[in-house]
Amino acid sequence: MPTVLDLITPVLLRIDADGDVQAADEPSAAWLEAQEIAGLAGPVEAWDRSLLRLCGVADPAALVGVDGPWRSLPLPGGEYLVIGGAWQSGETIAERVGLSSLQTKQAILNVLPAATAEAMAGRGLQPKAYRESTIVFVDAVQFSRLAGRVDPVSCIRQLDFYFSLFDQITGAFGVQKVTTIGDTYLAVAGVPQRRAAHAVDATLAALRLAQAVATRPGPVVDEWEWSFRIGLHSGPCISGVTGARRHVFDLWGDTVSVAAHVQRVGRADVVSVSGATAELIDAFFELSFDAMTVVRNAGEVAVFVVRGIRPELVDAETGLVNAAFRERYLAMFGDECPAAAGDVLLGAL
């Protein structure tokens, strides 16, 4: 939001010993000319009257050492420098305030989901519990080793390249980015917009992430081949916004912890899912059992590897979903499959 100083034009008037008024700088000259055109300053030969109208006094000496919008400083030779300010036009003020509001809204949308930002604007935001969601964790493999051996600026630029790519892909599938923590990328499907197909959408996005990383689309840093572990788990969670000054959208619940664990024990460059997620996506994807793992507060969790879309649901030429996949998706969830599922160029930079 602009400050008051942003909406005021500083005015500097030089008054000579004969009482003639001249602008001391170009902005002041433009402002005085505008006053003349508007008929507020009077004719050129009556500058004393314009000073009276502008400053409330005809003698600049009366403005020395006073408090108010206009003050004067005595100069050598009987001259004065009158200092003050004038409000910009109503149209200019409205335009700047409106632009600032748009920039503020865009800044909020950059860190919060659209639905959450709208709720905050209406002061109706409360933490929400979701019975169904799918959490997605993506973590760079051996990132600490890479960061310790290469130029840190180049390393972070490369990480930013991949995270920006992940933003593009997850957004296309309706999967909401939550945050990044170091070299870890966190996203969720089914929050804040509830979707029955949250697990399928998240898996489609995760497979496209793995595919994008496998093509090594970005510049190579120190000949290091980047790889990522991707882990998914489905279950209930709570979402909300914390912080008074810097708002942070976040998730809580055991579902988040289990998803993070599945990612940690998963294999590089493949999509690993928990048994809970596997049950929800089995009709669409080929799965193979990988291992059993123990998660604190959750007990034993089965981990599966997503091998890809089921053969009868995939287009043989593109490797993407076919009409049968879309028909099954619509029949099971009552909604259209995301268009991104058939976009060949998505993630292929």
Side-chain angles (χ1 to χ4, degrees):
M1 186 65 65
T3 65
V4 172
L5 293 178
D6 296 327
L7 305 177
I8 292 178
T9 300
V11 177
L12 302 176
L13 303 177
R14 193 180 187 93
I15 317 297
D16 63 19
D18 296 328
D20 292 332
V21 179
Q22 292 183 348
D25 58 10
E26 292 185 4
S28 299
W31 180 80
L32 278 176
E33 183 179 358
Q35 304 308 302
E36 264 191 74
I37 294 174
L40 299 178
V44 175
E45 60 270 15
W47 278 115
D48 59 332
R49 188 175 61 169
S50 72
L51 184 64
L52 177 62
R53 290 184 178 183
L54 294 172
C55 306
V57 297
D59 184 1
L63 296 175
V64 176
V66 300
D67 294 329
W70 296 93
R71 304 185 69 174
S72 67
L73 301 175
L75 300 176
E79 296 185 346
Y80 290 87
L81 181 66
V82 177
I83 305 171
W87 288 99
Q88 297 178 12
S89 67
E91 294 80 1
T92 301
I93 293 175
E95 180 180 354
R96 297 197 64 175
V97 172
L99 177 60
S100 176
S101 299
L102 288 175
Q103 291 172 338
T104 300
K105 182 177 181 180
Q106 185 59 51
I108 293 176
L109 289 174
N110 283 339
V111 296
L112 300 178
T116 302
E118 291 174 3
M120 287 188 65
R123 301 184 181 275
L125 181 66
Q126 296 291 335
K128 288 187 177 181
Y130 294 82
R131 297 179 60 185
E132 298 180 353
S133 67
T134 296
I135 311 296
V136 181
F137 270 95
V138 187
D139 185 76
V141 177
Q142 296 184 337
F143 179 79
S144 298
R145 287 183 56 191
L146 173 63
R149 60 181 284 185
V150 303
D151 170 46
V153 174
S154 300
C155 181
I156 299 305
R157 283 179 178 173
Q158 179 73 349
L159 184 64
D160 176 68
F161 171 85
Y162 281 110
F163 281 178
S164 298
L165 182 62
F166 296 169
D167 286 346
Q168 176 191 4
I169 294 173
T170 54
F173 285 97
V175 179
Q176 177 64 53
K177 173 186 177 181
V178 178
T179 188
T180 59
I181 309 168
D183 59 315
T184 300
Y185 185 98
L186 171 61
V188 61
V191 175
Q193 299 293 341
R194 304 176 192 270
R195 282 183 63 86
H198 57 87
V200 174
D201 293 345
T203 305
L204 285 170
L207 286 174
R208 193 62 68 91
L209 294 180
Q211 178 186 5
V213 173
T215 60
R216 306 288 187 257
V220 176
V221 176
D222 194 33
E223 299 183 354
W224 183 276
E225 292 190 354
W226 288 72
S227 61
F228 292 83
R229 289 188 300 266
I230 305 174
L232 281 67
H233 176 59
S234 302
C237 74
I238 298 174
S239 76
V241 176
T242 59
R245 291 189 175 181
R246 181 173 297 175
H247 301 302
V248 177
F249 177 70
D250 210 345
L251 303 173
W252 297 270
D254 290 341
T255 302
V256 181
S257 302
V258 174
H261 186 87
V262 170
Q263 174 270 126
R264 283 194 297 270
V265 301
R267 305 185 185 189
D269 296 328
V270 300
V271 177
S272 299
V273 301
S274 67
T277 302
E279 292 181 7
L280 297 175
I281 66 173
D282 182 64
F284 296 89
F285 302 95
E286 284 192 313
L287 305 167
S288 63
F289 177 77
D290 189 26
M292 293 294 297
T293 185
V294 178
V295 183
R296 187 176 62 178
N297 298 330
E300 287 191 337
V301 175
V303 179
F304 294 80
V305 171
V306 182
R307 297 299 181 185
I309 302 172
R310 286 186 171 276
E312 67 273 18
L313 303 178
V314 68
D315 186 290
E317 294 184 1
T318 65
L320 304 178
V321 303
N322 60 13
F325 186 104
R326 297 181 181 280
E327 291 174 2
R328 182 174 299 182
Y329 188 103
L330 179 61
M332 290 186 63
F333 306 120
D335 202 355
E336 296 289 341
C337 177
D343 186 354
V344 178
L345 298 179
L346 179 63
L349 301 183

